[in-house]
Amino acid sequence: MSIEAATAIDRTGEADRHGSPAASMLRRGACPALAAPMRTGDGLLVRLRPAGGALSLAQFEALARAAAMHGNGILEITARGNLQIRGLRVETAGPLGADIGAAGIAVPDGPAIEISPLHGIDPEETADPAELERALRSTHSGLLASSRLAPKLSIVVDGGGAFGLSALSADIRIVAQDHAHWLVAINGDGRTAMPIAIATADVAISAVGEVLSLLVALGQGRRARDIDPAHLLARFPAMGGLRPAPALAAKKPLCGLHRLADGRSLLGVRPEFGQMTASGLTALLDCAKVHGATAVRLAPGRGFFFLGLGAETGPAMQAAAAGLGFSAVAGENSEHIAACAGAGACGSAFYETKPLARRLMAAAPILLDGSLTLHLSGCAKGCAHAGPALTLTGRAGGYDLILNGLAADAPDERIAGGRIDFAIERLARTVEDNKGAGESAAACLTRLGTTGVSKALRQE
């Protein structure tokens, strides 16, 4: 990790106009790693994944202090379980890196490799993915450092267990089959990814190197989906005989108290909409110390686990987290909303996303049955959610409603700023009046289509 790289970016803006590496670092779509912050509406943003997704309470507290000192005090946890620190400036990016290093937080170079959040401690785990991650980084350090890899290349090493990563999509997936064998697959989640090899750890690591080599050869930020199947078959002749991946297991909820098979307790919490202030996080960590928590594991789903809780202290910690505004029980409506920083925290946003999200939870709970994600995006960049969703995109003077798409997509309906609460209530009532027995909100909206929804929103 180069702190110098972080402090050298875009001092005058001249380099950007000439297409230098600084422009690449700050472009939309780049991965805003610690050494390459990305410009957003509220300054620079960095995304980091501590080694193994693991932090001590003291390290997490140090991150909160650093976010307040060098940024705007807003920290986020992404849908993939990575940390983001917002509101940095060119002159504070380097000091942030120094403080992270001083706290003993290791942030590996290259693409994030996401591993099972309870690696090494879950008795139900098939195999520990942490060792395989270390071997991947050691064996393929040159390939992983290649500038020809896509900035958002995703690699998952899933050891299984109570909180496996079968629902997480990736360019490259390595999944434990038993204590000695790993499945290597590309382009998908646990159900859709294409298997290319099942082998021992050493051979699986070699197979990943072959895929990385193909991606480097393609260049120009290509992803696993762009690899020619003929090239894959030439490298992995046995892949045609591999059995399809098993169906996705039911996803265990992150939030709430959990008891592992060996009796140990842990608490899963989620900041509201994945975003928290440094002061709020510090208060939560102070409570965690009082209740005996010893460590934190970041997790997909915009949250994290507290480890080390006892059966007698877990409920008290759960209540304390809820009192501080963190989701600490499964099934809350906020789980189904992806909201960006919004106006007031991001200069690009046209509206305050969090207050609207809270009004929506009160006025339209029928939309939050889990069948769809509601994406509240302050602008067309769509930072909070990468996939199709029921989306409200901010624009000058109002909102664009996209029934099933991205924030930048053409709107299915345009809503004037002063009519947004009416539109939300009308949309909820339309679903309530038209939803068949057993039909989900998503299915109902799909059946009604653009014409039906537009007609309902335009009625007085």
mmCIF file of all heavy atoms in Angstrom, residues 407-429:
data_model
loop_
_atom_site.group_PDB
_atom_site.id
_atom_site.type_symbol
_atom_site.label_atom_id
_atom_site.label_comp_id
_atom_site.label_asym_id
_atom_site.label_seq_id
_atom_site.Cartn_x
_atom_site.Cartn_y
_atom_site.Cartn_z
ATOM 1 N N ALA A 407 -29.864 3.472 -11.284
ATOM 2 C CA ALA A 407 -30.146 4.885 -11.030
ATOM 3 C C ALA A 407 -30.013 5.737 -12.272
ATOM 4 O O ALA A 407 -30.679 6.768 -12.401
ATOM 5 C CB ALA A 407 -29.208 5.400 -9.935
ATOM 6 N N ALA A 408 -29.159 5.335 -13.201
ATOM 7 C CA ALA A 408 -28.935 6.128 -14.417
ATOM 8 C C ALA A 408 -29.875 5.757 -15.555
ATOM 9 O O ALA A 408 -29.829 6.377 -16.622
ATOM 10 C CB ALA A 408 -27.484 5.976 -14.862
ATOM 11 N N ASP A 409 -30.729 4.771 -15.357
ATOM 12 C CA ASP A 409 -31.621 4.345 -16.431
ATOM 13 C C ASP A 409 -32.699 5.393 -16.715
ATOM 14 O O ASP A 409 -33.009 6.242 -15.871
ATOM 15 C CB ASP A 409 -32.301 3.020 -16.067
ATOM 16 C CG ASP A 409 -31.347 1.833 -16.144
ATOM 17 O OD1 ASP A 409 -30.224 1.999 -16.674
ATOM 18 O OD2 ASP A 409 -31.720 0.749 -15.664
ATOM 19 N N ALA A 410 -33.285 5.294 -17.904
ATOM 20 C CA ALA A 410 -34.394 6.182 -18.253
ATOM 21 C C ALA A 410 -35.553 5.942 -17.284
ATOM 22 O O ALA A 410 -35.873 4.788 -16.957
ATOM 23 C CB ALA A 410 -34.843 5.919 -19.686
ATOM 24 N N PRO A 411 -36.178 7.008 -16.802
ATOM 25 C CA PRO A 411 -37.245 6.837 -15.799
ATOM 26 C C PRO A 411 -38.518 6.270 -16.389
ATOM 27 O O PRO A 411 -38.870 6.533 -17.544
ATOM 28 C CB PRO A 411 -37.465 8.255 -15.275
ATOM 29 C CG PRO A 411 -37.066 9.134 -16.413
ATOM 30 C CD PRO A 411 -35.914 8.428 -17.093
ATOM 31 N N ASP A 412 -39.214 5.483 -15.578
ATOM 32 C CA ASP A 412 -40.559 5.043 -15.941
ATOM 33 C C ASP A 412 -41.587 6.105 -15.606
ATOM 34 O O ASP A 412 -42.678 6.139 -16.181
ATOM 35 C CB ASP A 412 -40.896 3.737 -15.219
ATOM 36 C CG ASP A 412 -40.029 2.589 -15.680
ATOM 37 O OD1 ASP A 412 -39.988 2.328 -16.898
ATOM 38 O OD2 ASP A 412 -39.360 1.960 -14.830
ATOM 39 N N GLU A 413 -41.251 6.962 -14.656
ATOM 40 C CA GLU A 413 -42.139 8.060 -14.270
ATOM 41 C C GLU A 413 -41.284 9.146 -13.633
ATOM 42 O O GLU A 413 -40.308 8.861 -12.934
ATOM 43 C CB GLU A 413 -43.203 7.590 -13.286
ATOM 44 C CG GLU A 413 -44.236 8.635 -12.909
ATOM 45 C CD GLU A 413 -45.166 9.000 -14.063
ATOM 46 O OE1 GLU A 413 -45.273 8.224 -15.050
ATOM 47 O OE2 GLU A 413 -45.779 10.082 -14.001
ATOM 48 N N ARG A 414 -41.648 10.389 -13.862
ATOM 49 C CA ARG A 414 -40.973 11.520 -13.224
ATOM 50 C C ARG A 414 -41.902 12.126 -12.181
ATOM 51 O O ARG A 414 -43.095 12.297 -12.426
ATOM 52 C CB ARG A 414 -40.555 12.565 -14.258
ATOM 53 C CG ARG A 414 -39.426 12.079 -15.155
ATOM 54 C CD ARG A 414 -38.643 13.212 -15.763
ATOM 55 N NE ARG A 414 -37.244 12.838 -15.917
ATOM 56 C CZ ARG A 414 -36.341 13.610 -16.501
ATOM 57 N NH1 ARG A 414 -36.690 14.803 -16.945
ATOM 58 N NH2 ARG A 414 -35.089 13.205 -16.606
ATOM 59 N N ILE A 415 -41.328 12.431 -11.015
ATOM 60 C CA ILE A 415 -42.112 12.907 -9.882
ATOM 61 C C ILE A 415 -41.564 14.261 -9.462
ATOM 62 O O ILE A 415 -40.358 14.396 -9.193
ATOM 63 C CB ILE A 415 -42.031 11.911 -8.705
ATOM 64 C CG1 ILE A 415 -42.524 10.531 -9.145
ATOM 65 C CG2 ILE A 415 -42.830 12.427 -7.508
ATOM 66 C CD1 ILE A 415 -42.199 9.430 -8.153
ATOM 67 N N ALA A 416 -42.428 15.266 -9.387
ATOM 68 C CA ALA A 416 -42.010 16.591 -8.924
ATOM 69 C C ALA A 416 -41.620 16.519 -7.463
ATOM 70 O O ALA A 416 -42.158 15.708 -6.685
ATOM 71 C CB ALA A 416 -43.141 17.597 -9.137
ATOM 72 N N GLY A 417 -40.683 17.360 -7.069
ATOM 73 C CA GLY A 417 -40.154 17.306 -5.710
ATOM 74 C C GLY A 417 -41.203 17.367 -4.627
ATOM 75 O O GLY A 417 -41.151 16.620 -3.647
ATOM 76 N N GLY A 418 -42.196 18.224 -4.782
ATOM 77 C CA GLY A 418 -43.210 18.384 -3.750
ATOM 78 C C GLY A 418 -44.239 17.274 -3.705
ATOM 79 O O GLY A 418 -45.080 17.258 -2.796
ATOM 80 N N ARG A 419 -44.188 16.344 -4.640
ATOM 81 C CA ARG A 419 -45.184 15.278 -4.704
ATOM 82 C C ARG A 419 -44.634 13.918 -4.301
ATOM 83 O O ARG A 419 -45.328 12.912 -4.433
ATOM 84 C CB ARG A 419 -45.750 15.183 -6.121
ATOM 85 C CG ARG A 419 -46.641 16.354 -6.498
ATOM 86 C CD ARG A 419 -47.113 16.259 -7.944
ATOM 87 N NE ARG A 419 -47.868 15.039 -8.198
ATOM 88 C CZ ARG A 419 -49.178 14.901 -7.993
ATOM 89 N NH1 ARG A 419 -49.882 15.908 -7.490
ATOM 90 N NH2 ARG A 419 -49.792 13.769 -8.279
ATOM 91 N N ILE A 420 -43.428 13.881 -3.764
ATOM 92 C CA ILE A 420 -42.816 12.575 -3.523
ATOM 93 C C ILE A 420 -43.557 11.800 -2.445
ATOM 94 O O ILE A 420 -43.764 10.586 -2.571
ATOM 95 C CB ILE A 420 -41.320 12.721 -3.164
ATOM 96 C CG1 ILE A 420 -40.661 11.350 -3.053
ATOM 97 C CG2 ILE A 420 -41.119 13.544 -1.902
ATOM 98 C CD1 ILE A 420 -40.701 10.513 -4.303
ATOM 99 N N ASP A 421 -43.990 12.441 -1.372
ATOM 100 C CA ASP A 421 -44.710 11.710 -0.328
ATOM 101 C C ASP A 421 -46.046 11.186 -0.846
ATOM 102 O O ASP A 421 -46.448 10.053 -0.543
ATOM 103 C CB ASP A 421 -44.928 12.591 0.902
ATOM 104 C CG ASP A 421 -43.647 12.846 1.660
ATOM 105 O OD1 ASP A 421 -42.820 11.918 1.754
ATOM 106 O OD2 ASP A 421 -43.444 13.962 2.149
ATOM 107 N N PHE A 422 -46.736 12.004 -1.640
ATOM 108 C CA PHE A 422 -47.978 11.552 -2.262
ATOM 109 C C PHE A 422 -47.707 10.348 -3.162
ATOM 110 O O PHE A 422 -48.458 9.361 -3.152
ATOM 111 C CB PHE A 422 -48.598 12.685 -3.082
ATOM 112 C CG PHE A 422 -49.702 12.247 -3.996
ATOM 113 C CD1 PHE A 422 -51.005 12.092 -3.528
ATOM 114 C CD2 PHE A 422 -49.448 11.965 -5.340
ATOM 115 C CE1 PHE A 422 -52.027 11.679 -4.377
ATOM 116 C CE2 PHE A 422 -50.458 11.549 -6.193
ATOM 117 C CZ PHE A 422 -51.751 11.401 -5.711
ATOM 118 N N ALA A 423 -46.625 10.414 -3.946
ATOM 119 C CA ALA A 423 -46.312 9.331 -4.876
ATOM 120 C C ALA A 423 -46.007 8.033 -4.130
ATOM 121 O O ALA A 423 -46.427 6.944 -4.553
ATOM 122 C CB ALA A 423 -45.127 9.724 -5.754
ATOM 123 N N ILE A 424 -45.286 8.129 -3.026
ATOM 124 C CA ILE A 424 -44.977 6.932 -2.245
ATOM 125 C C ILE A 424 -46.259 6.300 -1.701
ATOM 126 O O ILE A 424 -46.464 5.084 -1.786
ATOM 127 C CB ILE A 424 -44.005 7.287 -1.102
ATOM 128 C CG1 ILE A 424 -42.611 7.578 -1.663
ATOM 129 C CG2 ILE A 424 -43.941 6.156 -0.074
ATOM 130 C CD1 ILE A 424 -41.653 8.144 -0.642
ATOM 131 N N GLU A 425 -47.126 7.130 -1.131
ATOM 132 C CA GLU A 425 -48.380 6.614 -0.593
ATOM 133 C C GLU A 425 -49.254 6.006 -1.695
ATOM 134 O O GLU A 425 -49.871 4.953 -1.514
ATOM 135 C CB GLU A 425 -49.135 7.737 0.120
ATOM 136 C CG GLU A 425 -48.441 8.206 1.398
ATOM 137 C CD GLU A 425 -49.137 9.393 2.033
ATOM 138 O OE1 GLU A 425 -50.207 9.797 1.513
ATOM 139 O OE2 GLU A 425 -48.622 9.926 3.037
ATOM 140 N N ARG A 426 -49.276 6.668 -2.852
ATOM 141 C CA ARG A 426 -50.078 6.168 -3.960
ATOM 142 C C ARG A 426 -49.527 4.835 -4.475
ATOM 143 O O ARG A 426 -50.292 3.920 -4.790
ATOM 144 C CB ARG A 426 -50.099 7.200 -5.083
ATOM 145 C CG ARG A 426 -50.823 6.773 -6.337
ATOM 146 C CD ARG A 426 -52.309 6.576 -6.100
ATOM 147 N NE ARG A 426 -52.980 7.818 -5.783
ATOM 148 C CZ ARG A 426 -54.276 7.920 -5.528
ATOM 149 N NH1 ARG A 426 -55.034 6.839 -5.545
ATOM 150 N NH2 ARG A 426 -54.818 9.089 -5.237
ATOM 151 N N LEU A 427 -48.198 4.735 -4.576
ATOM 152 C CA LEU A 427 -47.587 3.496 -5.044
ATOM 153 C C LEU A 427 -47.882 2.352 -4.076
ATOM 154 O O LEU A 427 -48.235 1.236 -4.486
ATOM 155 C CB LEU A 427 -46.079 3.683 -5.196
ATOM 156 C CG LEU A 427 -45.293 2.515 -5.791
ATOM 157 C CD1 LEU A 427 -45.763 2.210 -7.206
ATOM 158 C CD2 LEU A 427 -43.802 2.831 -5.782
ATOM 159 N N ALA A 428 -47.776 2.628 -2.776
ATOM 160 C CA ALA A 428 -48.066 1.600 -1.777
ATOM 161 C C ALA A 428 -49.529 1.166 -1.844
ATOM 162 O O ALA A 428 -49.845 -0.029 -1.769
ATOM 163 C CB ALA A 428 -47.732 2.121 -0.385
ATOM 164 N N ARG A 429 -50.433 2.141 -1.990
ATOM 165 C CA ARG A 429 -51.859 1.808 -2.049
ATOM 166 C C ARG A 429 -52.189 0.999 -3.303
ATOM 167 O O ARG A 429 -53.008 0.085 -3.275
ATOM 168 C CB ARG A 429 -52.702 3.071 -2.020
ATOM 169 C CG ARG A 429 -54.195 2.810 -2.006
ATOM 170 C CD ARG A 429 -54.985 4.093 -1.858
ATOM 171 N NE ARG A 429 -54.653 4.776 -0.612
ATOM 172 C CZ ARG A 429 -55.143 5.988 -0.276
ATOM 173 N NH1 ARG A 429 -55.965 6.617 -1.106
ATOM 174 N NH2 ARG A 429 -54.796 6.537 0.866
#
